[in-house]
Amino acid sequence: MTQPRVTRYSNRTKYTLGKLASLLVLLHNDELGREIEDELALRGYRYTVGKVGSMDLVKVVAAIETSAKANHVIDPNVYREVHSLYHAILEAIQGVGRGTVQFGEILRTVGLTFSIVRGVVDVSGDSSQWISVCIYGTIGAPKKGFEHDALGFGYNHI
Amino acid sequence: MTQPRVTRYSNRTKYTLGKLASLLVLLHNDELGREIEDELALRGYRYTVGKVGSMDLVKVVAAIETSAKANHVIDPNVYREVHSLYHAILEAIQGVGRGTVQFGEILRTVGLTFSIVRGVVDVSGDSSQWISVCIYGTIGAPKKGFEHDALGFGYNHI
Amino acid sequence: MTQPRVTRYSNRTKYTLGKLASLLVLLHNDELGREIEDELALRGYRYTVGKVGSMDLVKVVAAIETSAKANHVIDPNVYREVHSLYHAILEAIQGVGRGTVQFGEILRTVGLTFSIVRGVVDVSGDSSQWISVCIYGTIGAPKKGFEHDALGFGYNHI
Amino acid sequence: MTQPRVTRYSNRTKYTLGKLASLLVLLHNDELGREIEDELALRGYRYTVGKVGSMDLVKVVAAIETSAKANHVIDPNVYREVHSLYHAILEAIQGVGRGTVQFGEILRTVGLTFSIVRGVVDVSGDSSQWISVCIYGTIGAPKKGFEHDALGFGYNHI
Amino acid sequence: MTQPRVTRYSNRTKYTLGKLASLLVLLHNDELGREIEDELALRGYRYTVGKVGSMDLVKVVAAIETSAKANHVIDPNVYREVHSLYHAILEAIQGVGRGTVQFGEILRTVGLTFSIVRGVVDVSGDSSQWISVCIYGTIGAPKKGFEHDALGFGYNHI
Amino acid sequence: MTQPRVTRYSNRTKYTLGKLASLLVLLHNDELGREIEDELALRGYRYTVGKVGSMDLVKVVAAIETSAKANHVIDPNVYREVHSLYHAILEAIQGVGRGTVQFGEILRTVGLTFSIVRGVVDVSGDSSQWISVCIYGTIGAPKKGFEHDALGFGYNHI
């Protein structure tokens, strides 16, 4: 029997997959993050949260991809799923990079947390799978404190 | 005398200006959004939340700029502040557009909520003013339901 | 009973969906184009060829999208399919524009033929649907003859 | 005495330099590719076809440039010709990369065939030299089969 | 008989075509600009200086192109020359726009002066024609004084 | 007592900070460059000129940043100033790169001189600090002489 949901989010059940991914990455260290995870679980969404810090862009891409595969958010043996995730990652990195998809090449480093959420979304009577990648963290000079917030978001059909 | 803060965010007082801007735009319709506003008020941060829907990119830029001025987040008579806000808006729109800063020109429309937050941030012993613009909403075809979440974020010194 | 295939392409049966889309747009006015169509038909691929000339980017996007829907290459009522096509179109237009997704705004006009092909592709034992958009034509100044060839290509899972 | 041309392309003699470059790269392994070469030879066009596979963007640029020089499509001692080719290569790579000119930095690898064609084109009564670079192949994850077709095209006066 | 040159630029005769184009646009209102024109004339370079102010990108492109044709810097009937100029203009506008080739679409306006210089350059023993476009002026909000300097530069073989 | 200014620039006192930065980088080897320095000194502007040659983008960014700090144009301990400079550098490099912020990755090398100028600008009655970065030099193939002029410009509030 499903428990009645107790929530501090007054509209949690109406949140889109993308909003849940965004709140998950922003609040995963906060108690409120657990409620987002509850909502994701109730919907049967697959998700994960991970961290990566680097000046090396390829490490950021690889860390997100590896995390999605290791945590069964996507099936690593199905190219279609890998392709979908890849483009969602690139979209999210565009938001972090704002104008150019480069980190160390232009002397900046990132310390990032990312969430990946995947599940069924109903759009106008059609149910299909979508995936969202949200990245939150810091970007800046390779000197402690000389950095500021960054946020990026990608979304794709799967 | 300041009241002790009651919060459902276990780490609220540690949130950066950028995280507060992000949570504000995501939760402004939720009761939890009010706590974010409390935190912003306690810190003496100036902020606003607004909405704009359009296929016309220039209307989106103008709506955010107008809202920041009308709500005293920036001083419309100081070019430095206008310049800072402008670049933060463009950065946020890059996250929404992911790859190209165009909406109607490429047959897509947006329905967006934006937050603008401005205040003092301490970095390594230096206190200075920063501004953040966060945009959340939908982007998609000009047909109801054929759209998905979008999120963009900009940050600048002021 | 299936007829034995007579072909002037020695490797036609090995061509990928993307190569067929490319040859279709390049050779649709040539007798050799009919063989490409035969191959597409034999595989059960859905496809169409269309034309659009404009200085107005949004007309190009709309023409390709409308053609795909009208010719049943995608189902216009399924957002997932519309979303997939849309990103394949944008990719192809990036190849045509080379560096900026703009036509009339920078005083250039296009006269384009496009192909859209959609069907099942086997990748490492997984069968799934993919879509390809190929655009070929001319780009140049709005003066007859002051234009040169352009070619763009997009590919997406559907 | 010139032999009468026998062709399976009904419109071959009308093809532009750019279309010939595109068909050459797509069909160079096919018997039909030889006819394209015949047409190029009849027109006195200089051309070559080569291959390069790498995660390293600079190797792709270098391979195309080297091939053009080694096969006398351009004169390596004339900067004007090198400059013209270089920009045509970059344009073609933009089509392959669709949105960002990066391969290994964003964890993708390419296996590419390229054609380079250079010759005289008549435009509105003015005869001058133009060059076209067409690249066709696969782009994808560094895992066999997890890749899809890519096509890029560049064109420049020389 | 050629007069001995009197110059206040100690290195004027060594300046490249591109440096002359840059100084011409920056100093055309200054007496020093006349010396740059002298140098251009002595070398037999064709050049012009013009102005355009607009929120409309296409007007900026058109103004530069029209000025080059009207002042015989390029031959409007030779596509190769028009093509070369066009790409030099786009390059210069990228410098003015810094990141996106858009003016009014993102609520900014420009007031620009441009120079176009074309002539023979010797590179490693090869003499050929090159063209340079330099744009200098202001970019900013459509409000007097709320704008700052902008500078863009393009260069191409012709 | 301030000496009356003797100048060969008829409008020198009206030049904007950005125009002075541009002339400084173009004429620093010329006697006329000294007058620009005089003007900068009279206004109390902080400035420097430096050189960097590399195929490695990050070295170019680092050289400009290091020079600004070492020559006290910005305070290296104030993140706001470092942030402002950083974005001005990126803008200037966009002008040099024209379309993509990459050097060695796409097989091109640069030999650059840069100026950095920082000082008070009055805009509509508001006095505030701005910074400008101007980069001038050559970009081209890694072969002597196979390169041409490049110019980039960035401007930011500080």
Side-chain angles (χ1 to χ4, degrees), chain C residues 8-11, chain D residues 8 27 29-36:
Chain C
R8 286 175 290 189
Y9 295 88
S10 36
N11 301 302
Chain D
R8 285 173 290 190
L27 295 171
N29 276 332
D30 199 293
E31 205 185 324
L32 286 165
R34 266 171 249 155
E35 275 200 37
I36 298 298

Side-chain angles (χ1 to χ4, degrees), chain F residues 95-147:
Chain F
V96 171
R98 288 150 301 130
T100 178
V101 180
Q102 291 166 300
F103 296 151
E105 298 89 330
I106 51 172
L107 199 57
R108 58 183 180 180
T109 189
V110 292
L112 302 170
T113 303
F114 54 85
S115 65
I116 316 163
V117 177
R118 174 245 182 99
V120 171
V121 176
D122 291 304
V123 182
S124 309
D126 177 64
S127 278
S128 55
Q129 301 259 340
W130 293 77
I131 193 164
S132 179
V133 173
C134 191
I135 304 175
Y136 170 73
T138 57
I139 190 164
K143 176 175 173 178
K144 195 171 158 45
F146 281 55
E147 65 213 0

Side-chain angles (χ1 to χ4, degrees), chain B residues 65 69 74-80 82-83, chain E residues 55 107-110 138-148, chain F residues 123-126:
Chain B
E65 209 172 300
K69 292 171 181 171
I74 66 158
D75 181 339
N77 298 314
V78 177
Y79 176 41
R80 190 186 63 247
V82 174
H83 184 260
Chain E
M55 288 192 80
L107 199 57
R108 58 183 181 179
T109 189
V110 292
T138 57
I139 191 163
K143 177 175 172 177
K144 195 172 158 43
F146 281 56
E147 67 216 355
H148 63 66
Chain F
V123 182
S124 309
D126 177 64

Side-chain angles (χ1 to χ4, degrees), chain B residues 83-100:
Chain B
H83 184 260
S84 175
L85 171 67
Y86 181 74
H87 283 272
I89 293 171
L90 279 198
E91 287 187 359
I93 288 175
Q94 283 175 318
V96 171
R98 288 150 300 130
T100 179

Side-chain angles (χ1 to χ4, degrees), chain A residues 94-144:
Chain A
Q94 283 175 318
V96 172
R98 287 150 300 129
T100 179
V101 178
Q102 292 167 299
F103 296 150
E105 297 90 332
I106 50 172
L107 200 56
R108 58 184 181 179
T109 189
V110 291
L112 301 171
T113 304
F114 54 85
S115 66
I116 315 163
V117 177
R118 175 246 181 100
V120 172
V121 174
D122 291 306
V123 181
S124 309
D126 176 64
S127 278
S128 56
Q129 300 260 338
W130 294 76
I131 193 164
S132 178
V133 172
C134 192
I135 303 175
Y136 170 74
T138 57
I139 192 165
K143 177 176 173 177
K144 194 170 161 44

Side-chain angles (χ1 to χ4, degrees), chain C residues 8-11 15-16 18-19 22 26-27 29-32 91 94 98-99 123 136 145 148-149 153 155, chain D residues 8-11 15-16 18-19 26-27 29-32 91 94 98-99 123 136 145 148-149 153 155:
Chain C
R8 286 175 290 189
Y9 295 88
S10 36
N11 301 302
Y15 288 171
T16 58
K19 183 175 266 198
S22 305
L26 288 164
L27 295 171
N29 275 332
D30 200 292
E31 206 186 323
L32 286 166
E91 287 186 359
Q94 283 175 318
R98 289 149 301 131
V123 182
Y136 170 73
H148 63 65
D149 286 11
F153 180 86
Y155 197 90
Chain D
R8 285 173 290 190
Y9 295 88
S10 36
N11 302 302
Y15 289 170
T16 59
K19 182 176 267 197
L26 289 164
L27 295 171
N29 276 332
D30 199 293
E31 205 185 324
L32 286 165
E91 287 187 359
Q94 283 175 319
R98 287 148 302 127
V123 182
Y136 170 74
H148 62 66
D149 286 11
F153 179 87
Y155 196 90

